[in-house]
């Protein structure tokens, strides 16, 4: 989940820096994928398929609606 990814990101940064940290994350959830994907993995989806690939993934669905969450 997005919360687990954010907690892990903070824990790794805090361990590396030796103290408390604040991190920022953004998730993108497609309506066509029940709001679950790509979620917190948007960076890796973009790296793998790019913007055009993300759009092509949604071609088979009736909507390309999405929600961005910070």
């Amino acid at each position: 989940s997005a919360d687990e990814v954010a907690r892990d990101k903070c824990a790794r940064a805090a361990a590396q820096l030796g103290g408390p940290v604040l991190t920022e994350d953004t998730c993108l959830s497609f309506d066509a994928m029940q709001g679950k994907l790509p979620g917190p993995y948007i960076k890796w989806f973009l790296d793998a398929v790019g913007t055009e690939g993300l759009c092509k993934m949604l071609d088979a669905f009736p909507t390309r609606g999405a929600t961005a969450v910070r």
Side-chain angles (χ1 to χ4, degrees):
S1 78
D3 289 340
E4 291 169 325
V5 171
R7 276 193 284 279
D8 181 65
K9 186 177 184 178
C10 277
R12 286 183 290 119
Q16 188 172 13
L17 296 173
V21 297
L22 291 176
T23 63
E24 182 178 350
D25 239 1
T26 301
C27 297
L28 181 68
S29 300
F30 294 131
D31 297 344
M33 298 182 179
Q34 290 76 48
K36 297 186 189 297
L37 287 173
Y41 308 107
I42 185 60
K43 176 182 174 183
W44 292 279
F45 273 73
L46 279 171
D47 286 345
V49 300
T51 304
E52 186 175 326
L54 287 174
C55 291
K56 285 182 180 180
M57 286 172 51
L58 298 172
D59 282 348
F61 296 95
T63 180
R64 287 189 176 183
T67 302
V69 180
R70 260 177 96 192

